[in-house]
Amino acid sequence: MPHRYLEALTTPSVEAAQKEYGSYPSMRRMLEGLHTDGVLGEQEIAYIGERDGFYLGTVGESGWPYVQFRGGPPGFLKVLGTEDGASLLGWADFRGNRQYVSVGNLKASEKVSLFLMDYARQLRLKILGEARTIDARSEEATPLLEKVGLPGYRARVERVITVRVHGYDWNCPQHITPRWTQAELAPALDELRAELSRLRSENHRLRAAAEPGPEVR
């Protein structure tokens, strides 16, 4: 249910836009009398565990929003359990281009937005939450690194970021162009390569059989 998610985002300006375009009554019916929390269900947890990346939105003192892609092996974003009645997410944050825009923004505001896309199945999960950054060199990070660490993954972990989920929403698939990763395409491509090899062998056999034998005099 998206109601707590929408509630957090519904400001007077948003309500004014809903009234202008005629969606306000239906939005109020969706929100009234319903209470949701920040606890992720089995469907959301399974979906998060399959993702190899997500988009992270933050805002700093300038008021400008900033969106950055965070990527890693599938499942690098972990659901760590619950904290104060809400699901807790976490991931190992690697050294990148060293601009530290997202990290700096989180010092100004803990509020974040996560977009998790599945282009192949035309799905997207949106999450609002409050984030914390924990330096990987600190004692506090040690137990977290055991949960979010990626043994064998060649990247330097500088910090652990956790997100206490405030609300979430599954968005409609409209206008999501289907796209597939190399790993997602691999099984289908393997079948095509095997079929192509079989057809080439069959073609070679048929051509050999059709060739005339040596002339007998």
Side-chain angles (χ1 to χ4, degrees):
M1 293 182 180
H3 311 99
R4 193 180 190 197
Y5 182 94
L6 288 177
E7 224 169 28
L9 298 174
T10 303
T11 63
S13 297
V14 171
E15 288 185 339
Q18 292 171 352
K19 291 174 182 177
E20 180 182 357
Y21 292 100
S23 69
Y24 182 76
S26 61
M27 291 298 102
R28 296 319 305 170
R29 285 194 298 272
M30 180 182 291
L31 293 173
E32 287 174 359
L34 292 168
H35 174 73
T36 56
D37 53 30
V39 178
L40 300 167
E42 292 182 3
Q43 180 183 4
E44 288 75 31
I45 292 173
Y47 181 83
I48 291 169
E50 296 170 349
R51 306 277 64 79
D52 62 359
F54 62 91
Y55 299 96
L56 174 67
T58 59
V59 177
E61 294 94 332
S62 68
W64 289 107
Y66 181 70
V67 179
Q68 187 172 45
F69 180 76
R70 283 290 196 264
F76 80 99
L77 176 62
K78 313 285 187 182
V79 180
L80 302 177
T82 58
E83 180 183 273
D84 300 326
S87 292
L88 187 69
L89 305 176
W91 70 91
D93 203 45
F94 310 121
R95 171 175 285 186
N97 58 19
R98 309 195 74 182
Q99 294 178 354
Y100 298 113
V101 177
S102 296
V103 175
N105 283 352
L106 292 178
K107 294 183 182 297
S109 173
E110 64 183 7
K111 290 183 169 60
V112 295
S113 177
L114 279 66
F115 257 56
L116 288 81
M117 302 295 301
D118 183 340
Y119 291 101
R121 294 186 292 170
Q122 295 177 284
L123 297 172
R124 56 187 161 192
L125 176 62
K126 303 183 297 186
I127 298 174
L128 293 178
E130 295 89 25
R132 289 184 64 228
T133 61
I134 302 101
D135 192 293
R137 298 167 295 186
S138 68
E139 291 185 9
E140 184 183 3
T142 301
L144 288 170
L145 285 169
E146 293 178 359
K147 296 178 179 179
V148 302
L150 302 169
Y153 190 68
R154 298 182 62 183
R156 178 177 174 180
V157 180
E158 287 193 329
R159 69 201 63 79
V160 176
I161 296 181
T162 63
V163 174
R164 183 178 179 272
V165 176
H166 179 82
Y168 60 92
D169 181 20
W170 288 97
N171 219 178
C172 71
Q174 188 177 17
H175 304 308
I176 299 178
T177 302
R179 296 183 175 93
W180 291 266
T181 66
Q182 185 175 0
E184 288 167 337
L185 287 172
L189 291 176
D190 287 344
E191 289 184 13
L192 288 174
R193 292 188 185 102
E195 179 66 8
L196 180 60
S197 178
R198 187 191 67 78
L199 290 173
R200 282 175 172 166
S201 297
E202 180 69 7
N203 184 54
H204 180 74
R205 184 186 66 80
L206 292 174
R207 287 171 65 90
E211 290 179 358
E215 185 178 352
V216 179
R217 296 191 178 187

